[in-house]
Amino acid sequence: MTENHETPAPTAGLKALDRLVGEWTVTGGAEGVVKYEWMEGGYFLLQTVELEQYGQRVSGVEIIGNLRPFGEPASADVHSRFYDSTGNTLDYTYELDGDKLTIWGGPKGSPAYFEGTFTDGDRVMAGDWVYPGGGGYESTMTRR
């Protein structure tokens, strides 16, 4: 077995999420502030959340990146895990296609997802969270 000590570069799918970097005001079904920033090395995008939703304050952190356990190749999809102040751990899958961002609740193709579009020179991201069986809410993020 040949050892390869080269670290592969972050994937194009992950690097495309650079459009999220910054601080955003969130309005719609959840209200507050979210912030995205790169962890050193550029392999993980960190999101911090301070929101109020359904009358409950929620703070949390999300770590977004490709899965690459124990020296295996990076996953094709960009995954995340969100940890919040109420004890939830939620898994998501991200995909950016042109100006359209889709965030699935769980694996790609899940019936729970967010679909939004970047507009106004990437200053606005507006879309909807859709839940299985109906429900969901509108959400707009505006860069601060």
Side-chain angles (χ1 to χ4, degrees), residues 5 12-13 25 27 30 36 40 67 88 92 94-95 99 110 129 133 135 141:
H5 295 288
T25 299
T27 57
Y36 292 89
E40 185 176 344
L67 301 180
N88 293 308
Y92 297 97
Y94 280 68
E95 182 179 43
D99 289 334
S110 168
W129 280 99
M141 295 193 324

mmCIF file of all heavy atoms in Angstrom, residues 5 12-13 25 27 30 36 40 67 88 92 94-95 99 110 129 133 135 141:
data_model
loop_
_atom_site.group_PDB
_atom_site.id
_atom_site.type_symbol
_atom_site.label_atom_id
_atom_site.label_comp_id
_atom_site.label_asym_id
_atom_site.label_seq_id
_atom_site.Cartn_x
_atom_site.Cartn_y
_atom_site.Cartn_z
ATOM 1 N N HIS A 5 0.427 11.446 1.279
ATOM 2 C CA HIS A 5 0.292 12.446 2.328
ATOM 3 C C HIS A 5 -0.262 13.767 1.810
ATOM 4 O O HIS A 5 -0.343 14.725 2.554
ATOM 5 C CB HIS A 5 1.643 12.668 3.025
ATOM 6 C CG HIS A 5 2.113 11.447 3.753
ATOM 7 N ND1 HIS A 5 1.530 11.015 4.913
ATOM 8 C CD2 HIS A 5 3.094 10.560 3.466
ATOM 9 C CE1 HIS A 5 2.133 9.916 5.326
ATOM 10 N NE2 HIS A 5 3.092 9.616 4.456
ATOM 11 N N ALA A 12 -15.363 21.554 -5.267
ATOM 12 C CA ALA A 12 -16.004 22.697 -5.930
ATOM 13 C C ALA A 12 -17.385 22.958 -5.338
ATOM 14 O O ALA A 12 -17.785 24.113 -5.178
ATOM 15 C CB ALA A 12 -16.109 22.442 -7.431
ATOM 16 N N GLY A 13 -18.113 21.892 -4.998
ATOM 17 C CA GLY A 13 -19.444 22.058 -4.407
ATOM 18 C C GLY A 13 -19.401 22.787 -3.079
ATOM 19 O O GLY A 13 -20.279 23.600 -2.768
ATOM 20 N N THR A 25 -29.369 39.032 8.070
ATOM 21 C CA THR A 25 -30.600 39.207 8.841
ATOM 22 C C THR A 25 -31.640 38.278 8.227
ATOM 23 O O THR A 25 -31.845 38.285 7.009
ATOM 24 C CB THR A 25 -31.089 40.663 8.778
ATOM 25 O OG1 THR A 25 -30.078 41.500 9.346
ATOM 26 C CG2 THR A 25 -32.383 40.842 9.543
ATOM 27 N N THR A 27 -35.585 36.941 7.997
ATOM 28 C CA THR A 27 -36.991 37.284 8.230
ATOM 29 C C THR A 27 -37.865 36.186 7.646
ATOM 30 O O THR A 27 -37.419 35.395 6.812
ATOM 31 C CB THR A 27 -37.354 38.642 7.587
ATOM 32 O OG1 THR A 27 -37.060 38.586 6.188
ATOM 33 C CG2 THR A 27 -36.576 39.787 8.223
ATOM 34 N N ALA A 30 -38.760 32.348 10.619
ATOM 35 C CA ALA A 30 -37.763 32.471 11.689
ATOM 36 C C ALA A 30 -37.155 33.855 11.540
ATOM 37 O O ALA A 30 -36.955 34.331 10.416
ATOM 38 C CB ALA A 30 -36.692 31.388 11.578
ATOM 39 N N TYR A 36 -22.050 33.129 8.542
ATOM 40 C CA TYR A 36 -21.268 32.060 7.927
ATOM 41 C C TYR A 36 -19.817 32.509 7.834
ATOM 42 O O TYR A 36 -19.544 33.637 7.416
ATOM 43 C CB TYR A 36 -21.758 31.770 6.504
ATOM 44 C CG TYR A 36 -23.115 31.154 6.404
ATOM 45 C CD1 TYR A 36 -24.254 31.946 6.331
ATOM 46 C CD2 TYR A 36 -23.277 29.773 6.352
ATOM 47 C CE1 TYR A 36 -25.517 31.387 6.210
ATOM 48 C CE2 TYR A 36 -24.530 29.201 6.234
ATOM 49 C CZ TYR A 36 -25.643 30.013 6.162
ATOM 50 O OH TYR A 36 -26.890 29.454 6.039
ATOM 51 N N GLU A 40 -10.448 27.640 9.389
ATOM 52 C CA GLU A 40 -9.118 27.648 8.800
ATOM 53 C C GLU A 40 -8.928 26.408 7.926
ATOM 54 O O GLU A 40 -9.328 25.311 8.298
ATOM 55 C CB GLU A 40 -8.059 27.677 9.894
ATOM 56 C CG GLU A 40 -6.657 27.817 9.358
ATOM 57 C CD GLU A 40 -5.615 27.933 10.449
ATOM 58 O OE1 GLU A 40 -5.969 28.209 11.609
ATOM 59 O OE2 GLU A 40 -4.437 27.741 10.132
ATOM 60 N N LEU A 67 -18.009 14.917 3.715
ATOM 61 C CA LEU A 67 -17.598 13.840 4.615
ATOM 62 C C LEU A 67 -16.314 13.232 4.062
ATOM 63 O O LEU A 67 -16.183 13.013 2.860
ATOM 64 C CB LEU A 67 -18.684 12.776 4.697
ATOM 65 C CG LEU A 67 -20.055 13.236 5.187
ATOM 66 C CD1 LEU A 67 -21.026 12.060 5.200
ATOM 67 C CD2 LEU A 67 -19.963 13.888 6.549
ATOM 68 N N ASN A 88 -31.174 19.676 19.911
ATOM 69 C CA ASN A 88 -31.345 18.992 18.622
ATOM 70 C C ASN A 88 -30.022 18.858 17.879
ATOM 71 O O ASN A 88 -29.162 19.733 17.963
ATOM 72 C CB ASN A 88 -32.317 19.775 17.724
ATOM 73 C CG ASN A 88 -33.721 19.761 18.265
ATOM 74 O OD1 ASN A 88 -34.269 18.710 18.566
ATOM 75 N ND2 ASN A 88 -34.303 20.943 18.402
ATOM 76 N N TYR A 92 -28.174 17.851 7.345
ATOM 77 C CA TYR A 92 -28.619 18.454 6.095
ATOM 78 C C TYR A 92 -27.660 18.096 4.965
ATOM 79 O O TYR A 92 -26.518 17.713 5.211
ATOM 80 C CB TYR A 92 -28.666 19.986 6.214
ATOM 81 C CG TYR A 92 -29.651 20.493 7.236
ATOM 82 C CD1 TYR A 92 -29.243 20.823 8.519
ATOM 83 C CD2 TYR A 92 -30.995 20.640 6.905
ATOM 84 C CE1 TYR A 92 -30.147 21.286 9.462
ATOM 85 C CE2 TYR A 92 -31.906 21.107 7.847
ATOM 86 C CZ TYR A 92 -31.481 21.434 9.108
ATOM 87 O OH TYR A 92 -32.378 21.889 10.046
ATOM 88 N N TYR A 94 -26.412 20.048 1.295
ATOM 89 C CA TYR A 94 -26.439 21.314 0.559
ATOM 90 C C TYR A 94 -26.115 21.088 -0.905
ATOM 91 O O TYR A 94 -25.234 20.289 -1.226
ATOM 92 C CB TYR A 94 -25.373 22.261 1.113
ATOM 93 C CG TYR A 94 -25.741 22.997 2.367
ATOM 94 C CD1 TYR A 94 -25.894 22.325 3.573
ATOM 95 C CD2 TYR A 94 -25.906 24.377 2.350
ATOM 96 C CE1 TYR A 94 -26.211 23.015 4.731
ATOM 97 C CE2 TYR A 94 -26.228 25.077 3.510
ATOM 98 C CZ TYR A 94 -26.379 24.393 4.695
ATOM 99 O OH TYR A 94 -26.696 25.065 5.838
ATOM 100 N N GLU A 95 -26.785 21.870 -1.764
ATOM 101 C CA GLU A 95 -26.426 21.882 -3.184
ATOM 102 C C GLU A 95 -26.706 23.272 -3.747
ATOM 103 O O GLU A 95 -27.810 23.802 -3.574
ATOM 104 C CB GLU A 95 -27.229 20.853 -3.960
ATOM 105 C CG GLU A 95 -26.845 20.814 -5.426
ATOM 106 C CD GLU A 95 -27.626 19.775 -6.215
ATOM 107 O OE1 GLU A 95 -28.846 19.654 -6.031
ATOM 108 O OE2 GLU A 95 -26.988 19.077 -7.008
ATOM 109 N N ASP A 99 -27.843 30.052 -9.217
ATOM 110 C CA ASP A 99 -28.257 30.908 -8.106
ATOM 111 C C ASP A 99 -29.203 30.204 -7.145
ATOM 112 O O ASP A 99 -29.675 30.806 -6.191
ATOM 113 C CB ASP A 99 -28.955 32.172 -8.653
ATOM 114 C CG ASP A 99 -27.989 33.122 -9.338
ATOM 115 O OD1 ASP A 99 -26.788 33.102 -8.992
ATOM 116 O OD2 ASP A 99 -28.425 33.877 -10.221
ATOM 117 N N SER A 110 -34.655 14.459 0.039
ATOM 118 C CA SER A 110 -35.578 14.369 1.173
ATOM 119 C C SER A 110 -36.834 15.214 0.907
ATOM 120 O O SER A 110 -36.753 16.253 0.245
ATOM 121 C CB SER A 110 -34.872 14.884 2.436
ATOM 122 O OG SER A 110 -35.801 15.068 3.479
ATOM 123 N N TRP A 129 -38.943 26.959 3.140
ATOM 124 C CA TRP A 129 -38.754 25.654 3.759
ATOM 125 C C TRP A 129 -40.032 24.871 3.498
ATOM 126 O O TRP A 129 -41.133 25.381 3.700
ATOM 127 C CB TRP A 129 -38.528 25.783 5.266
ATOM 128 C CG TRP A 129 -37.123 26.166 5.585
ATOM 129 C CD1 TRP A 129 -36.655 27.414 5.875
ATOM 130 C CD2 TRP A 129 -35.997 25.286 5.654
ATOM 131 N NE1 TRP A 129 -35.301 27.375 6.105
ATOM 132 C CE2 TRP A 129 -34.875 26.077 5.987
ATOM 133 C CE3 TRP A 129 -35.830 23.917 5.459
ATOM 134 C CZ2 TRP A 129 -33.602 25.529 6.130
ATOM 135 C CZ3 TRP A 129 -34.560 23.383 5.602
ATOM 136 C CH2 TRP A 129 -33.462 24.182 5.943
ATOM 137 N N GLY A 133 -45.932 16.435 3.981
ATOM 138 C CA GLY A 133 -47.315 16.491 4.429
ATOM 139 C C GLY A 133 -47.867 17.905 4.494
ATOM 140 O O GLY A 133 -48.919 18.146 5.085
ATOM 141 N N GLY A 135 -47.012 22.312 5.014
ATOM 142 C CA GLY A 135 -46.348 23.142 6.009
ATOM 143 C C GLY A 135 -45.026 23.661 5.503
ATOM 144 O O GLY A 135 -44.616 23.412 4.379
ATOM 145 N N MET A 141 -33.042 35.882 3.730
ATOM 146 C CA MET A 141 -31.825 36.343 4.373
ATOM 147 C C MET A 141 -31.316 37.547 3.584
ATOM 148 O O MET A 141 -31.210 37.471 2.361
ATOM 149 C CB MET A 141 -30.737 35.262 4.372
ATOM 150 C CG MET A 141 -31.042 34.044 5.163
ATOM 151 S SD MET A 141 -29.619 32.936 5.452
ATOM 152 C CE MET A 141 -28.651 33.007 3.968
#
